[in-house]
Amino acid sequence: MPRHYQLKCQVCGSRFDDDGFTLECPHEHPPGLLAAEYFAREFKPDLASKGIFRYQSWLPALHEIGSVGSTVTFQSKQISRVLGLPNLWITFSGYWLEKGATLETATFKELEAYSVLSRLSPEHREVLVVASAGNTAAAFAHVCSQNQVPCLIIIPARGLARMEFLEALHPCVRVVSLTGLTDYSDAIAQADEVSRLDGFFAEGGVKNIGRRDGIGTTMLNAVETMGQLPDYYFQAIGSGAGGIAVHEAAKRLVDDGRFGQKMPHLMLSQNLPFVPIYQAWKSQRRELIKVNRDVGKKQTQQIVAEVLSNQRPPYSIKGGVFDVLMESQGNMLAADNSKALYATDFFQASEGVDIDPAAGVALATLKEAASTGQLDPEAVILLHVTGGGRNRRRLNHKLVPVKPTLELDAGEIGTKKALEKIVGLF
Ligand SMILES: [Zn+2]
């Protein structure tokens, strides 16, 4: 099937056709992210399509898939007034039906899942392998189940609480839970091993253009609503894929020419005490500062926004977080647990809907930047609430929790026996 874009390597500049799976440039050189180059240069939402497929000319989508939702962008009188920012806009990626936010699993990760699946040929039969701290797992499990795409989810047990759905998952989705002192990095390591086997393939995380351009639709939704690019963009990050993605989407909008010529400053944030990207950026380094893995693990257990616990974020890689912060003249910010939780309470009191702790981190850093004079009060600011409405969804529906198909103890991860057990699930 012909595609409406090509892949471009950000290191060597070569262009090639996409097969739906490609994650890396075939040429030998230091690692870099591939980007999609869409033939359409003009931002033109497709009004006849549902959810994010409204933006399909800038998505690597071969076909539309079912059960797609969307984000919504709006202004909050109360939050603008308290922060003293009259031109503040909020993009809400979550579950808030009356407002128009219709993501069933209540986070922006669902946008990634739609886009990744629609990039694949409908005829593919291999098993998609996804490692996740929780939200990505819920998103892919839901969307794969709805569309009957074979999928293996590997998740630390702590993230299972996020895996609850309106109905039981289709058996094409298998969930492996990692027990004991395990975290996201263990899930990634185990997923890497499985995806090298025949019949399985890695979803690829930030390397998958489907993932990034799926999240990038949040910027497209915002600009469609606002009519212009924001001056500042606030978001909390674990891997930073969201920051990279909106930067890439903003580049396309600048290229269009009708929405402003300046790239939004990326104001990205992490949750203290686990702040590897913040530390590297503040030390003016392109490399992450090496932290003992066990120390990192302990820190990730201490943060309230556990989805921000990526120990190997794509920071140094060409086209990664360091580059987008530099290009956008952005900054890294940080908030501790109490500030993040205070911010989530403030949002709920203002708007009547719950938001995730990660979104609380972003809002807390925005509040601090506004109150310490770091922002021009007239600036156009976009806050991305990356997850919200989870409690509202729980109140509205009787949800079915997921029972893992297999449990692996910390000591079993990476062993031959573990691999055999996982393969045996399919
Ligand atoms: Zn290359």
Side-chain angles (χ1 to χ4, degrees):
M1 229 185 281
R3 293 181 184 250
H4 56 284
Y5 62 93
Q6 273 198 312
L7 299 177
K8 184 183 173 192
C9 171
Q10 299 192 57
V11 179
C12 70
S14 53
R15 291 179 171 81
F16 43 95
D17 291 334
D18 188 20
D19 61 2
F21 298 96
T22 301
L23 300 173
E24 284 167 0
C25 177
H27 303 298
E28 249 183 66
H29 51 59
L33 297 177
L34 295 176
E37 256 191 357
Y38 297 101
F39 302 146
R41 298 276 296 274
E42 192 182 325
F43 178 47
K44 205 169 160 195
D46 174 0
L47 307 183
S49 288
K50 284 198 180 128
I52 65 163
F53 293 108
R54 188 179 180 82
Y55 309 115
Q56 59 182 302
S57 59
W58 286 359
L59 282 174
L62 261 194
H63 54 101
E64 289 190 31
I65 59 164
S67 308
V68 281
S70 62
T71 54
V72 70
T73 303
F74 65 98
Q75 286 193 287
S76 161
K77 272 193 190 136
Q78 168 79 353
I79 296 174
S80 284
R81 190 181 59 75
V82 173
L83 299 190
L85 299 171
N87 300 315
L88 170 65
W89 292 79
I90 297 167
T91 290
F92 190 94
S93 294
Y95 180 89
W96 191 5
L97 301 185
E98 61 270 40
K99 198 78 174 175
T102 52
L103 301 178
E104 185 57 48
T105 54
T107 77
F108 75 123
K109 296 293 180 181
E110 208 171 300
L111 304 169
E112 304 181 345
Y114 304 144
S115 176
V116 166
L117 295 199
S118 66
R119 182 186 170 206
L120 298 169
S121 155
E123 283 84 40
H124 93 277
R125 287 290 167 266
E126 294 90 345
V127 177
L128 176 68
V129 181
V130 177
S132 166
N135 289 334
T136 303
F140 275 89
H142 168 68
V143 181
C144 287
S145 176
Q146 291 289 313
N147 289 279
Q148 300 186 14
V149 174
C151 178
L152 167 67
I153 307 274
I154 303 182
I155 181 173
R158 193 181 176 207
L160 279 176
R162 293 165 189 278
M163 301 279 282
E164 40 182 21
F165 305 97
L166 294 182
E167 54 194 46
L169 292 175
H170 187 278
C172 67
V173 178
R174 300 293 162 113
V175 178
V176 174
S177 152
L178 308 181
T179 60
L181 184 62
T182 56
D183 70 3
Y184 183 41
S185 52
D186 297 305
I188 294 178
Q190 185 64 68
D192 279 352
E193 287 208 3
V194 181
S195 53
R196 279 196 284 271
L197 302 174
D198 278 350
F200 294 85
F201 70 101
E203 175 277 315
V206 72
K207 289 183 181 170
N208 193 323
I209 53 156
R211 272 249 202 162
R212 303 204 311 276
D213 290 353
I215 321 173
T217 62
T218 54
M219 179 59 85
L220 304 182
N221 178 271
V223 169
E224 187 184 5
T225 309
M226 296 157 58
Q228 66 170 103
L229 281 157
D231 298 313
Y232 293 91
Y233 172 85
F234 281 77
Q235 192 207 309
I237 58 167
S239 72
I244 299 167
V246 297
H247 184 75
E248 291 173 333
K251 261 189 200 167
R252 294 180 185 123
L253 290 161
V254 165
D255 202 28
D256 174 298
R258 293 172 294 162
F259 307 100
Q261 294 306 313
K262 270 176 58 189
M263 294 294 289
H265 302 297
L266 294 179
M267 307 293 273
L268 308 177
S269 47
Q270 296 202 294
N271 189 182
L272 289 161
F274 183 71
V275 290
I277 298 180
Y278 171 84
Q279 278 171 333
W281 177 254
K282 290 296 178 191
S283 318
Q284 301 180 316
R285 290 163 57 127
R286 196 189 171 95
E287 280 76 40
L288 291 170
I289 297 162
K290 282 214 167 59
V291 176
N292 176 292
R293 189 149 169 225
D294 289 332
V295 173
K297 240 182 212 187
K298 281 200 185 110
Q299 288 175 344
T300 63
Q301 309 275 332
Q302 289 166 26
I303 57 174
V304 66
E306 74 236 40
V307 296
L308 306 180
S309 64
N310 192 322
Q311 294 212 42
R312 293 190 303 171
Y315 177 71
S316 322
I317 189 171
K318 180 78 187 152
V321 180
F322 179 83
D323 282 341
V324 297
L325 283 169
M326 287 296 285
E327 280 177 28
S328 73
Q329 297 174 37
N331 204 356
M332 281 305 301
L333 310 162
D336 63 20
N337 286 349
S338 64
K339 282 185 180 156
L341 292 176
Y342 182 84
T344 60
D345 288 348
F346 165 55
F347 195 99
Q348 168 120 33
S350 304
E351 288 297 318
V353 67
D354 57 292
I355 60 171
D356 284 0
V361 168
L363 177 54
T365 59
L366 170 60
K367 197 160 175 274
E368 188 160 310
S371 66
T372 52
Q374 293 177 57
L375 301 171
D376 171 0
E378 293 304 315
V380 177
I381 293 164
L382 181 60
L383 168 69
H384 187 183
V385 171
T386 42
R390 194 181 298 279
N391 296 341
R392 175 174 287 246
R393 176 168 165 257
R394 263 193 208 122
L395 286 175
N396 286 358
H397 303 283
K398 191 167 164 37
L399 299 174
V400 185
V402 159
K403 222 176 152 295
T405 333
L406 174 68
E407 287 187 347
L408 290 178
D409 183 67
E412 279 182 285
I413 297 167
T415 62
K416 199 167 165 235
K417 201 160 165 225
L419 211 53
E420 282 168 5
K421 282 186 186 172
I422 292 174
V423 172
L425 298 176
F426 291 89

